[in-house]
Amino acid sequence: MAGLPGPFLCGALLGFACLNAPGLAVEVKVPAEPLSAPVGHTAELTCSYSTSVGDNFALEWSFVQPGKPISESHPILYFTSGHLYPTGSKAERASLLQNPPTGGVATLKLTKVRASDTGTYLCQVNNPPDFYTNGLGLINLTVLVPPSRPLCSQSGRTSVGGSVALRCSSSEGAPKPVYNWVHLGSSPTPPPGSAVQDEVSGQLILTNLSMSSSGTYRCVATNQMGSASCELTLTVTDSSSGRVAGTLIGVLLGILLLSVAVFCLLRFQKERRKKPKETYGGNDLR
């Protein structure tokens, strides 16, 4: 017989119908859809209830961060015994749309919302001895934040024929930004077969690099709140030119060393010619 309305439950148990006394049920209603608010604005979390408010009536708003269980929620404010008690880190920014909230409206106002305000909010009404039905409502709030300036980086082999990965990421942004890379300047964008872009991760992979792949690349991070960008310069080198230059340098060094050796040899021979020969002066005793 679980789930039967109060009067039917009474009749089934006691053999007669009993009246449904006013205030027997505590019913909390909240929006079914998630809410959102731009950062810095005021968010109103609508919560209403139906019950016959008595001396034991109490209202509590609490908050839990995304991904954590309800059991780890932290209180935002209490209303009990005719007094309102804001508490916690949101105390200075939290209030009720109607105070005292005894007319069936328990809506929470949260001013100057921050990114850290994103999470689940719990509206709970207690009015002993009215415990029948649900006295708890859950509201998911997302604070909308424009993308922060992304960080651009690159890795890989930047010589002709090589491959590089360009990466772009914003540390802030809600909803999560999407990323788009563009090649600036008069140089043509790399052909479709040599560029693969992931708008979610912000990675652009360039393969089979050519000299025309060189240039400035810009990454733009975008969500419904705005956009931000960063740039980097890619320099593609020709490895064959490098080998020719290396060979030329080696030949020049060889010629230089040979010239030094010849110079030293000629100088040595010249010095030998200048040195006087020793003469025999005879026997002094004779």
Side-chain angles (χ1 to χ4, degrees):
M1 291 179 288
L4 292 175
F8 292 95
L9 182 59
C10 289
L13 293 176
L14 301 179
F16 59 89
C18 59
L19 296 177
N20 187 10
L24 181 62
V26 177
E27 183 73 20
V28 170
K29 295 181 180 179
V30 295
E33 298 296 324
L35 303 180
S36 62
V39 64
H41 288 223
T42 296
E44 290 191 2
L45 284 68
T46 303
C47 178
S48 61
Y49 65 89
S50 59
T51 186
S52 178
V53 175
D55 294 337
N56 295 323
F57 174 84
L59 165 69
E60 177 183 347
W61 274 98
S62 55
F63 167 77
V64 61
Q65 293 178 338
K68 292 190 176 182
I70 300 298
S71 59
E72 295 187 17
S73 63
H74 299 282
I76 297 174
L77 57 77
Y78 298 98
F79 179 86
T80 184
S81 302
H83 296 283
L84 182 65
Y85 302 97
T87 183
S89 61
K90 307 181 194 300
E92 295 183 356
R93 300 183 292 117
S95 62
L96 293 175
L97 186 64
Q98 293 185 3
N99 187 22
T102 52
V105 177
T107 298
L108 174 70
K109 288 180 62 178
L110 192 61
T111 61
K112 299 179 180 178
V113 292
R114 309 166 182 170
S116 58
D117 293 329
T118 294
T120 301
Y121 290 77
L122 290 71
C123 177
Q124 186 169 7
V125 174
N126 291 311
N127 191 35
D130 298 351
F131 294 113
Y132 184 70
T133 69
N134 185 18
L136 175 65
L138 305 179
I139 302 175
N140 291 318
L141 173 67
T142 299
V143 177
L144 305 177
V145 181
S148 60
R149 180 179 175 83
L151 176 65
C152 287
S153 63
Q154 72 177 59
S155 62
R157 186 168 61 91
T158 57
S159 57
V160 172
S163 301
V164 296
L166 309 184
R167 295 180 178 85
C168 174
S169 178
S170 294
S171 59
E172 295 180 355
K176 188 175 180 181
V178 294
Y179 302 94
N180 183 46
W181 283 94
V182 291
H183 190 188
L184 305 180
S186 57
S187 300
T189 300
S194 64
V196 178
Q197 182 169 195
D198 188 336
E199 294 184 345
V200 176
S201 68
Q203 180 170 262
L204 172 67
I205 298 178
L206 302 174
T207 59
N208 193 24
L209 294 175
S210 64
M211 297 301 291
S212 64
S213 303
S214 296
T216 300
Y217 289 78
R218 174 182 294 164
C219 173
V220 181
T222 307
N223 67 8
Q224 67 190 73
M225 292 297 292
S227 62
S229 64
C230 62
E231 296 178 1
L232 61 76
T233 299
L234 176 66
T235 302
V236 179
T237 59
D238 189 343
S239 57
S240 60
S241 299
R243 286 193 297 269
V244 171
T247 302
L248 180 59
I249 291 174
V251 170
L252 292 176
L253 286 176
I255 294 174
L256 179 61
L257 291 176
L258 181 60
S259 300
V260 171
V262 171
F263 174 78
C264 292
L265 179 60
L266 293 175
R267 185 179 179 84
F268 176 74
Q269 292 178 349
K270 186 176 181 180
E271 292 296 330
R272 286 191 62 184
R273 294 193 191 99
K274 290 181 178 180
K275 188 175 181 181
K277 295 183 178 180
E278 295 182 359
T279 56
Y280 179 73
N283 192 330
D284 292 340
L285 294 178
R286 188 175 63 178

